[in-house]
PDB file of all heavy atoms in Angstrom:
ATOM      1  N   GLN A   1      -6.293  -3.357   5.511  1.00  0.00           N
ATOM      2  CA  GLN A   1      -6.646  -2.254   4.642  1.00  0.00           C
ATOM      3  C   GLN A   1      -5.887  -2.434   3.416  1.00  0.00           C
ATOM      4  O   GLN A   1      -4.640  -2.527   3.394  1.00  0.00           O
ATOM      5  CB  GLN A   1      -6.275  -0.943   5.347  1.00  0.00           C
ATOM      6  CG  GLN A   1      -7.095  -0.461   6.496  1.00  0.00           C
ATOM      7  CD  GLN A   1      -8.399   0.256   5.847  1.00  0.00           C
ATOM      8  OE1 GLN A   1      -8.667   0.189   4.682  1.00  0.00           O
ATOM      9  NE2 GLN A   1      -9.211   0.821   6.755  1.00  0.00           N
ATOM     10  N   VAL A   2      -6.576  -2.526   2.207  1.00  0.00           N
ATOM     11  CA  VAL A   2      -6.003  -2.747   0.940  1.00  0.00           C
ATOM     12  C   VAL A   2      -6.194  -1.616   0.017  1.00  0.00           C
ATOM     13  O   VAL A   2      -7.358  -1.184  -0.139  1.00  0.00           O
ATOM     14  CB  VAL A   2      -6.439  -4.006   0.317  1.00  0.00           C
ATOM     15  CG1 VAL A   2      -5.682  -4.361  -0.982  1.00  0.00           C
ATOM     16  CG2 VAL A   2      -6.247  -5.228   1.269  1.00  0.00           C
ATOM     17  N   VAL A   3      -5.087  -1.038  -0.436  1.00  0.00           N
ATOM     18  CA  VAL A   3      -5.257   0.108  -1.462  1.00  0.00           C
ATOM     19  C   VAL A   3      -4.710  -0.444  -2.842  1.00  0.00           C
ATOM     20  O   VAL A   3      -3.556  -0.786  -2.861  1.00  0.00           O
ATOM     21  CB  VAL A   3      -4.332   1.350  -1.022  1.00  0.00           C
ATOM     22  CG1 VAL A   3      -4.436   2.372  -2.094  1.00  0.00           C
ATOM     23  CG2 VAL A   3      -4.895   1.769   0.329  1.00  0.00           C
ATOM     24  N   ILE A   4      -5.667  -0.524  -3.749  1.00  0.00           N
ATOM     25  CA  ILE A   4      -5.205  -0.809  -5.210  1.00  0.00           C
ATOM     26  C   ILE A   4      -5.152   0.399  -6.096  1.00  0.00           C
ATOM     27  O   ILE A   4      -6.147   1.094  -6.177  1.00  0.00           O
ATOM     28  CB  ILE A   4      -6.168  -1.798  -5.818  1.00  0.00           C
ATOM     29  CG1 ILE A   4      -6.472  -3.054  -4.801  1.00  0.00           C
ATOM     30  CG2 ILE A   4      -5.922  -2.263  -7.145  1.00  0.00           C
ATOM     31  CD1 ILE A   4      -7.564  -3.893  -5.284  1.00  0.00           C
ATOM     32  N   ILE A   5      -3.945   0.605  -6.613  1.00  0.00           N
ATOM     33  CA  ILE A   5      -3.768   1.835  -7.427  1.00  0.00           C
ATOM     34  C   ILE A   5      -3.547   1.322  -8.833  1.00  0.00           C
ATOM     35  O   ILE A   5      -2.518   0.949  -9.311  1.00  0.00           O
ATOM     36  CB  ILE A   5      -2.528   2.676  -7.017  1.00  0.00           C
ATOM     37  CG1 ILE A   5      -2.693   3.069  -5.579  1.00  0.00           C
ATOM     38  CG2 ILE A   5      -2.439   3.841  -7.993  1.00  0.00           C
ATOM     39  CD1 ILE A   5      -1.652   3.916  -5.031  1.00  0.00           C
ATOM     40  N   SER A   6      -4.743   1.331  -9.606  1.00  0.00           N
ATOM     41  CA  SER A   6      -4.678   1.006 -11.045  1.00  0.00           C
ATOM     42  C   SER A   6      -3.860   2.085 -11.842  1.00  0.00           C
ATOM     43  O   SER A   6      -4.131   3.277 -11.569  1.00  0.00           O
ATOM     44  CB  SER A   6      -6.022   0.822 -11.629  1.00  0.00           C
ATOM     45  OG  SER A   6      -6.094   0.529 -12.994  1.00  0.00           O
ATOM     46  N   ASP A   7      -3.182   1.658 -12.824  1.00  0.00           N
ATOM     47  CA  ASP A   7      -2.313   2.721 -13.622  1.00  0.00           C
ATOM     48  C   ASP A   7      -1.482   3.586 -12.742  1.00  0.00           C
ATOM     49  O   ASP A   7      -1.494   4.850 -12.716  1.00  0.00           O
ATOM     50  CB  ASP A   7      -3.224   3.564 -14.403  1.00  0.00           C
ATOM     51  CG  ASP A   7      -4.127   2.725 -15.440  1.00  0.00           C
ATOM     52  OD1 ASP A   7      -3.536   1.813 -16.059  1.00  0.00           O
ATOM     53  OD2 ASP A   7      -5.322   2.914 -15.541  1.00  0.00           O
ATOM     54  N   ALA A   8      -0.724   2.927 -11.887  1.00  0.00           N
ATOM     55  CA  ALA A   8       0.212   3.741 -11.057  1.00  0.00           C
ATOM     56  C   ALA A   8       1.186   4.458 -11.812  1.00  0.00           C
ATOM     57  O   ALA A   8       1.794   5.415 -11.224  1.00  0.00           O
ATOM     58  CB  ALA A   8       0.839   2.758  -9.921  1.00  0.00           C
ATOM     59  N   ASP A   9       1.389   4.211 -13.004  1.00  0.00           N
ATOM     60  CA  ASP A   9       2.425   5.021 -13.974  1.00  0.00           C
ATOM     61  C   ASP A   9       1.748   6.382 -14.121  1.00  0.00           C
ATOM     62  O   ASP A   9       2.535   7.286 -14.652  1.00  0.00           O
ATOM     63  CB  ASP A   9       2.515   4.245 -15.238  1.00  0.00           C
ATOM     64  CG  ASP A   9       1.226   3.861 -15.973  1.00  0.00           C
ATOM     65  OD1 ASP A   9       0.398   3.246 -15.201  1.00  0.00           O
ATOM     66  OD2 ASP A   9       1.057   4.218 -17.094  1.00  0.00           O
ATOM     67  N   ARG A  10       0.547   6.667 -13.863  1.00  0.00           N
ATOM     68  CA  ARG A  10       0.006   8.064 -13.997  1.00  0.00           C
ATOM     69  C   ARG A  10       0.160   8.839 -12.707  1.00  0.00           C
ATOM     70  O   ARG A  10      -0.421   9.907 -12.658  1.00  0.00           O
ATOM     71  CB  ARG A  10      -1.482   7.873 -14.421  1.00  0.00           C
ATOM     72  CG  ARG A  10      -1.615   7.172 -15.748  1.00  0.00           C
ATOM     73  CD  ARG A  10      -3.122   7.196 -16.142  1.00  0.00           C
ATOM     74  NE  ARG A  10      -3.375   6.280 -17.261  1.00  0.00           N
ATOM     75  CZ  ARG A  10      -4.608   5.955 -17.709  1.00  0.00           C
ATOM     76  NH1 ARG A  10      -5.634   6.585 -17.244  1.00  0.00           N
ATOM     77  NH2 ARG A  10      -4.670   5.128 -18.744  1.00  0.00           N
ATOM     78  N   LEU A  11       0.837   8.356 -11.774  1.00  0.00           N
ATOM     79  CA  LEU A  11       1.053   9.172 -10.571  1.00  0.00           C
ATOM     80  C   LEU A  11       1.884  10.391 -10.902  1.00  0.00           C
ATOM     81  O   LEU A  11       2.950  10.226 -11.530  1.00  0.00           O
ATOM     82  CB  LEU A  11       1.744   8.425  -9.490  1.00  0.00           C
ATOM     83  CG  LEU A  11       1.045   7.368  -8.716  1.00  0.00           C
ATOM     84  CD1 LEU A  11       1.869   6.339  -7.985  1.00  0.00           C
ATOM     85  CD2 LEU A  11      -0.029   7.966  -7.782  1.00  0.00           C
ATOM     86  N   THR A  12       1.477  11.613 -10.514  1.00  0.00           N
ATOM     87  CA  THR A  12       2.351  12.780 -10.643  1.00  0.00           C
ATOM     88  C   THR A  12       3.565  12.515  -9.728  1.00  0.00           C
ATOM     89  O   THR A  12       3.606  11.677  -8.785  1.00  0.00           O
ATOM     90  CB  THR A  12       1.672  14.076 -10.334  1.00  0.00           C
ATOM     91  OG1 THR A  12       1.291  14.059  -8.913  1.00  0.00           O
ATOM     92  CG2 THR A  12       0.395  14.328 -11.125  1.00  0.00           C
ATOM     93  N   GLU A  13       4.647  13.319  -9.860  1.00  0.00           N
ATOM     94  CA  GLU A  13       5.795  13.260  -9.067  1.00  0.00           C
ATOM     95  C   GLU A  13       5.437  13.519  -7.608  1.00  0.00           C
ATOM     96  O   GLU A  13       5.921  12.750  -6.730  1.00  0.00           O
ATOM     97  CB  GLU A  13       6.890  14.259  -9.442  1.00  0.00           C
ATOM     98  CG  GLU A  13       8.206  14.159  -8.676  1.00  0.00           C
ATOM     99  CD  GLU A  13       9.261  15.060  -9.108  1.00  0.00           C
ATOM    100  OE1 GLU A  13       8.962  15.800 -10.211  1.00  0.00           O
ATOM    101  OE2 GLU A  13      10.335  15.109  -8.470  1.00  0.00           O
ATOM    102  N   ALA A  14       4.634  14.538  -7.324  1.00  0.00           N
ATOM    103  CA  ALA A  14       4.290  14.836  -5.952  1.00  0.00           C
ATOM    104  C   ALA A  14       3.394  13.693  -5.386  1.00  0.00           C
ATOM    105  O   ALA A  14       3.504  13.341  -4.265  1.00  0.00           O
ATOM    106  CB  ALA A  14       3.473  16.179  -5.937  1.00  0.00           C
ATOM    107  N   ALA A  15       2.514  13.168  -6.223  1.00  0.00           N
ATOM    108  CA  ALA A  15       1.596  12.024  -5.744  1.00  0.00           C
ATOM    109  C   ALA A  15       2.488  10.861  -5.374  1.00  0.00           C
ATOM    110  O   ALA A  15       2.246  10.156  -4.387  1.00  0.00           O
ATOM    111  CB  ALA A  15       0.554  11.775  -6.644  1.00  0.00           C
ATOM    112  N   GLY A  16       3.482  10.582  -6.209  1.00  0.00           N
ATOM    113  CA  GLY A  16       4.371   9.438  -5.959  1.00  0.00           C
ATOM    114  C   GLY A  16       5.168   9.642  -4.709  1.00  0.00           C
ATOM    115  O   GLY A  16       5.428   8.676  -3.934  1.00  0.00           O
ATOM    116  N   ASN A  17       5.578  10.849  -4.392  1.00  0.00           N
ATOM    117  CA  ASN A  17       6.361  11.120  -3.142  1.00  0.00           C
ATOM    118  C   ASN A  17       5.427  10.890  -1.958  1.00  0.00           C
ATOM    119  O   ASN A  17       5.804  10.370  -0.914  1.00  0.00           O
ATOM    120  CB  ASN A  17       6.817  12.544  -3.102  1.00  0.00           C
ATOM    121  CG  ASN A  17       7.967  12.698  -4.154  1.00  0.00           C
ATOM    122  OD1 ASN A  17       8.669  11.754  -4.485  1.00  0.00           O
ATOM    123  ND2 ASN A  17       8.149  13.980  -4.595  1.00  0.00           N
ATOM    124  N   ALA A  18       4.135  11.221  -2.061  1.00  0.00           N
ATOM    125  CA  ALA A  18       3.122  11.028  -0.994  1.00  0.00           C
ATOM    126  C   ALA A  18       3.023   9.548  -0.723  1.00  0.00           C
ATOM    127  O   ALA A  18       2.920   9.059   0.438  1.00  0.00           O
ATOM    128  CB  ALA A  18       1.838  11.718  -1.278  1.00  0.00           C
ATOM    129  N   LEU A  19       2.913   8.794  -1.833  1.00  0.00           N
ATOM    130  CA  LEU A  19       2.709   7.401  -1.746  1.00  0.00           C
ATOM    131  C   LEU A  19       4.013   6.753  -1.096  1.00  0.00           C
ATOM    132  O   LEU A  19       3.920   5.825  -0.308  1.00  0.00           O
ATOM    133  CB  LEU A  19       2.393   6.802  -3.013  1.00  0.00           C
ATOM    134  CG  LEU A  19       2.376   5.239  -3.085  1.00  0.00           C
ATOM    135  CD1 LEU A  19       1.237   4.743  -2.245  1.00  0.00           C
ATOM    136  CD2 LEU A  19       2.146   4.778  -4.550  1.00  0.00           C
ATOM    137  N   LEU A  20       5.181   7.147  -1.585  1.00  0.00           N
ATOM    138  CA  LEU A  20       6.432   6.641  -1.074  1.00  0.00           C
ATOM    139  C   LEU A  20       6.539   6.722   0.474  1.00  0.00           C
ATOM    140  O   LEU A  20       6.939   5.756   1.096  1.00  0.00           O
ATOM    141  CB  LEU A  20       7.596   7.334  -1.732  1.00  0.00           C
ATOM    142  CG  LEU A  20       8.993   7.021  -1.256  1.00  0.00           C
ATOM    143  CD1 LEU A  20       9.328   5.521  -1.493  1.00  0.00           C
ATOM    144  CD2 LEU A  20      10.125   7.877  -1.947  1.00  0.00           C
ATOM    145  N   LYS A  21       6.190   7.899   0.986  1.00  0.00           N
ATOM    146  CA  LYS A  21       6.269   8.093   2.389  1.00  0.00           C
ATOM    147  C   LYS A  21       5.402   7.099   3.199  1.00  0.00           C
ATOM    148  O   LYS A  21       5.773   6.493   4.153  1.00  0.00           O
ATOM    149  CB  LYS A  21       5.769   9.470   2.848  1.00  0.00           C
ATOM    150  CG  LYS A  21       5.985   9.738   4.339  1.00  0.00           C
ATOM    151  CD  LYS A  21       5.644  11.199   4.518  1.00  0.00           C
ATOM    152  CE  LYS A  21       5.693  11.553   6.120  1.00  0.00           C
ATOM    153  NZ  LYS A  21       7.004  11.271   6.633  1.00  0.00           N
ATOM    154  N   ALA A  22       4.244   6.813   2.630  1.00  0.00           N
ATOM    155  CA  ALA A  22       3.300   5.802   3.177  1.00  0.00           C
ATOM    156  C   ALA A  22       3.866   4.461   3.056  1.00  0.00           C
ATOM    157  O   ALA A  22       3.721   3.630   3.985  1.00  0.00           O
ATOM    158  CB  ALA A  22       1.891   5.864   2.620  1.00  0.00           C
ATOM    159  N   ILE A  23       4.476   4.079   2.014  1.00  0.00           N
ATOM    160  CA  ILE A  23       5.122   2.716   1.801  1.00  0.00           C
ATOM    161  C   ILE A  23       6.372   2.582   2.759  1.00  0.00           C
ATOM    162  O   ILE A  23       6.581   1.459   3.200  1.00  0.00           O
ATOM    163  CB  ILE A  23       5.458   2.554   0.406  1.00  0.00           C
ATOM    164  CG1 ILE A  23       4.248   2.472  -0.509  1.00  0.00           C
ATOM    165  CG2 ILE A  23       6.325   1.314   0.159  1.00  0.00           C
ATOM    166  CD1 ILE A  23       4.488   2.324  -1.971  1.00  0.00           C
ATOM    167  N   GLU A  24       6.965   3.592   2.940  1.00  0.00           N
ATOM    168  CA  GLU A  24       8.249   3.552   3.751  1.00  0.00           C
ATOM    169  C   GLU A  24       7.877   3.373   5.246  1.00  0.00           C
ATOM    170  O   GLU A  24       8.556   2.725   5.941  1.00  0.00           O
ATOM    171  CB  GLU A  24       9.086   4.777   3.645  1.00  0.00           C
ATOM    172  CG  GLU A  24       9.871   4.904   2.320  1.00  0.00           C
ATOM    173  CD  GLU A  24      10.596   6.177   2.143  1.00  0.00           C
ATOM    174  OE1 GLU A  24      10.202   7.274   2.812  1.00  0.00           O
ATOM    175  OE2 GLU A  24      11.679   6.222   1.501  1.00  0.00           O
ATOM    176  N   GLU A  25       6.793   3.910   5.742  1.00  0.00           N
ATOM    177  CA  GLU A  25       6.302   3.816   6.995  1.00  0.00           C
ATOM    178  C   GLU A  25       4.835   3.371   7.054  1.00  0.00           C
ATOM    179  O   GLU A  25       3.877   4.070   7.421  1.00  0.00           O
ATOM    180  CB  GLU A  25       6.371   5.206   7.698  1.00  0.00           C
ATOM    181  CG  GLU A  25       7.864   5.704   7.825  1.00  0.00           C
ATOM    182  CD  GLU A  25       7.862   7.156   8.375  1.00  0.00           C
ATOM    183  OE1 GLU A  25       6.859   7.672   8.805  1.00  0.00           O
ATOM    184  OE2 GLU A  25       8.930   7.737   8.311  1.00  0.00           O
ATOM    185  N   PRO A  26       4.565   2.096   6.650  1.00  0.00           N
ATOM    186  CA  PRO A  26       3.184   1.663   6.516  1.00  0.00           C
ATOM    187  C   PRO A  26       2.622   1.260   7.876  1.00  0.00           C
ATOM    188  O   PRO A  26       3.295   0.764   8.781  1.00  0.00           O
ATOM    189  CB  PRO A  26       3.346   0.375   5.704  1.00  0.00           C
ATOM    190  CG  PRO A  26       4.671  -0.225   6.140  1.00  0.00           C
ATOM    191  CD  PRO A  26       5.534   0.994   6.286  1.00  0.00           C
ATOM    192  N   PRO A  27       1.311   1.428   8.004  1.00  0.00           N
ATOM    193  CA  PRO A  27       0.530   0.943   9.183  1.00  0.00           C
ATOM    194  C   PRO A  27       0.616  -0.544   9.170  1.00  0.00           C
ATOM    195  O   PRO A  27       0.856  -1.201   8.119  1.00  0.00           O
ATOM    196  CB  PRO A  27      -0.808   1.429   8.983  1.00  0.00           C
ATOM    197  CG  PRO A  27      -0.763   2.561   7.988  1.00  0.00           C
ATOM    198  CD  PRO A  27       0.425   2.211   7.087  1.00  0.00           C
ATOM    199  N   PRO A  28       0.487  -1.250  10.331  1.00  0.00           N
ATOM    200  CA  PRO A  28       0.790  -2.564  10.378  1.00  0.00           C
ATOM    201  C   PRO A  28      -0.265  -3.492   9.627  1.00  0.00           C
ATOM    202  O   PRO A  28       0.056  -4.655   9.331  1.00  0.00           O
ATOM    203  CB  PRO A  28       0.645  -2.927  11.931  1.00  0.00           C
ATOM    204  CG  PRO A  28      -0.175  -1.809  12.435  1.00  0.00           C
ATOM    205  CD  PRO A  28       0.205  -0.676  11.664  1.00  0.00           C
ATOM    206  N   ARG A  29      -1.431  -2.966   9.264  1.00  0.00           N
ATOM    207  CA  ARG A  29      -2.426  -3.791   8.569  1.00  0.00           C
ATOM    208  C   ARG A  29      -2.833  -3.151   7.252  1.00  0.00           C
ATOM    209  O   ARG A  29      -3.911  -3.423   6.748  1.00  0.00           O
ATOM    210  CB  ARG A  29      -3.665  -4.019   9.543  1.00  0.00           C
ATOM    211  CG  ARG A  29      -3.474  -4.944  10.602  1.00  0.00           C
ATOM    212  CD  ARG A  29      -3.225  -6.392  10.220  1.00  0.00           C
ATOM    213  NE  ARG A  29      -3.122  -7.271  11.295  1.00  0.00           N
ATOM    214  CZ  ARG A  29      -1.984  -7.649  11.841  1.00  0.00           C
ATOM    215  NH1 ARG A  29      -0.835  -7.116  11.264  1.00  0.00           N
ATOM    216  NH2 ARG A  29      -1.839  -8.441  12.884  1.00  0.00           N
ATOM    217  N   THR A  30      -1.911  -2.411   6.646  1.00  0.00           N
ATOM    218  CA  THR A  30      -2.199  -1.820   5.343  1.00  0.00           C
ATOM    219  C   THR A  30      -1.313  -2.419   4.266  1.00  0.00           C
ATOM    220  O   THR A  30      -0.112  -2.524   4.452  1.00  0.00           O
ATOM    221  CB  THR A  30      -1.970  -0.297   5.378  1.00  0.00           C
ATOM    222  OG1 THR A  30      -2.922   0.273   6.311  1.00  0.00           O
ATOM    223  CG2 THR A  30      -2.284   0.337   4.094  1.00  0.00           C
ATOM    224  N   VAL A  31      -1.932  -2.720   3.144  1.00  0.00           N
ATOM    225  CA  VAL A  31      -1.156  -3.332   2.041  1.00  0.00           C
ATOM    226  C   VAL A  31      -1.461  -2.474   0.810  1.00  0.00           C
ATOM    227  O   VAL A  31      -2.609  -2.117   0.436  1.00  0.00           O
ATOM    228  CB  VAL A  31      -1.687  -4.809   1.766  1.00  0.00           C
ATOM    229  CG1 VAL A  31      -0.885  -5.384   0.517  1.00  0.00           C
ATOM    230  CG2 VAL A  31      -1.526  -5.631   2.985  1.00  0.00           C
ATOM    231  N   PHE A  32      -0.403  -2.085   0.015  1.00  0.00           N
ATOM    232  CA  PHE A  32      -0.559  -1.336  -1.204  1.00  0.00           C
ATOM    233  C   PHE A  32      -0.273  -2.227  -2.403  1.00  0.00           C
ATOM    234  O   PHE A  32       0.759  -2.904  -2.476  1.00  0.00           O
ATOM    235  CB  PHE A  32       0.475  -0.151  -1.151  1.00  0.00           C
ATOM    236  CG  PHE A  32       0.236   0.841  -0.113  1.00  0.00           C
ATOM    237  CD1 PHE A  32       0.880   0.721   1.274  1.00  0.00           C
ATOM    238  CD2 PHE A  32      -0.613   1.912  -0.230  1.00  0.00           C
ATOM    239  CE1 PHE A  32       0.594   1.631   2.244  1.00  0.00           C
ATOM    240  CE2 PHE A  32      -0.800   2.846   0.701  1.00  0.00           C
ATOM    241  CZ  PHE A  32      -0.144   2.676   1.939  1.00  0.00           C
ATOM    242  N   LEU A  33      -1.164  -2.161  -3.308  1.00  0.00           N
ATOM    243  CA  LEU A  33      -1.081  -2.984  -4.538  1.00  0.00           C
ATOM    244  C   LEU A  33      -1.088  -1.983  -5.689  1.00  0.00           C
ATOM    245  O   LEU A  33      -2.047  -1.358  -6.009  1.00  0.00           O
ATOM    246  CB  LEU A  33      -2.298  -3.929  -4.695  1.00  0.00           C
ATOM    247  CG  LEU A  33      -2.571  -4.815  -3.475  1.00  0.00           C
ATOM    248  CD1 LEU A  33      -3.734  -5.783  -3.725  1.00  0.00           C
ATOM    249  CD2 LEU A  33      -1.268  -5.688  -3.163  1.00  0.00           C
ATOM    250  N   LEU A  34       0.144  -1.875  -6.359  1.00  0.00           N
ATOM    251  CA  LEU A  34       0.306  -0.960  -7.510  1.00  0.00           C
ATOM    252  C   LEU A  34       0.358  -1.658  -8.901  1.00  0.00           C
ATOM    253  O   LEU A  34       0.888  -2.811  -8.902  1.00  0.00           O
ATOM    254  CB  LEU A  34       1.645  -0.138  -7.388  1.00  0.00           C
ATOM    255  CG  LEU A  34       1.919   0.385  -5.914  1.00  0.00           C
ATOM    256  CD1 LEU A  34       3.178   1.249  -5.978  1.00  0.00           C
ATOM    257  CD2 LEU A  34       0.779   1.151  -5.372  1.00  0.00           C
ATOM    258  N   CYS A  35      -0.358  -1.051  -9.799  1.00  0.00           N
ATOM    259  CA  CYS A  35      -0.360  -1.804 -11.163  1.00  0.00           C
ATOM    260  C   CYS A  35       0.351  -0.794 -12.165  1.00  0.00           C
ATOM    261  O   CYS A  35      -0.038   0.465 -12.222  1.00  0.00           O
ATOM    262  CB  CYS A  35      -1.776  -1.981 -11.583  1.00  0.00           C
ATOM    263  SG  CYS A  35      -2.723  -2.999 -10.422  1.00  0.00           S
ATOM    264  N   ALA A  36       1.274  -1.246 -12.949  1.00  0.00           N
ATOM    265  CA  ALA A  36       1.995  -0.417 -13.972  1.00  0.00           C
ATOM    266  C   ALA A  36       2.459  -1.270 -15.043  1.00  0.00           C
ATOM    267  O   ALA A  36       2.667  -2.581 -14.949  1.00  0.00           O
ATOM    268  CB  ALA A  36       3.220   0.346 -13.228  1.00  0.00           C
ATOM    269  N   PRO A  37       2.685  -0.742 -16.289  1.00  0.00           N
ATOM    270  CA  PRO A  37       3.114  -1.562 -17.371  1.00  0.00           C
ATOM    271  C   PRO A  37       4.451  -2.186 -17.195  1.00  0.00           C
ATOM    272  O   PRO A  37       4.668  -3.330 -17.589  1.00  0.00           O
ATOM    273  CB  PRO A  37       3.190  -0.569 -18.564  1.00  0.00           C
ATOM    274  CG  PRO A  37       2.215   0.612 -18.148  1.00  0.00           C
ATOM    275  CD  PRO A  37       2.395   0.608 -16.652  1.00  0.00           C
ATOM    276  N   SER A  38       5.452  -1.583 -16.486  1.00  0.00           N
ATOM    277  CA  SER A  38       6.702  -2.106 -16.233  1.00  0.00           C
ATOM    278  C   SER A  38       7.312  -1.388 -14.952  1.00  0.00           C
ATOM    279  O   SER A  38       6.730  -0.462 -14.351  1.00  0.00           O
ATOM    280  CB  SER A  38       7.505  -1.826 -17.428  1.00  0.00           C
ATOM    281  OG  SER A  38       7.986  -0.437 -17.524  1.00  0.00           O
ATOM    282  N   THR A  39       8.507  -1.783 -14.620  1.00  0.00           N
ATOM    283  CA  THR A  39       9.278  -1.167 -13.623  1.00  0.00           C
ATOM    284  C   THR A  39      10.295  -0.137 -14.091  1.00  0.00           C
ATOM    285  O   THR A  39      11.136   0.408 -13.404  1.00  0.00           O
ATOM    286  CB  THR A  39      10.015  -2.210 -12.757  1.00  0.00           C
ATOM    287  OG1 THR A  39      10.922  -2.907 -13.648  1.00  0.00           O
ATOM    288  CG2 THR A  39       9.047  -3.113 -12.062  1.00  0.00           C
TER     289      THR A  39
END
């Protein structure tokens, strides 16, 4: 399962927190690909 988030710099703070929880406890076959101008 692949999730591509174009312009991840536009995540609201609450949306970022929801994504963070998924990244911290990912399902075994899910991959998150985030795109942003910088870190």
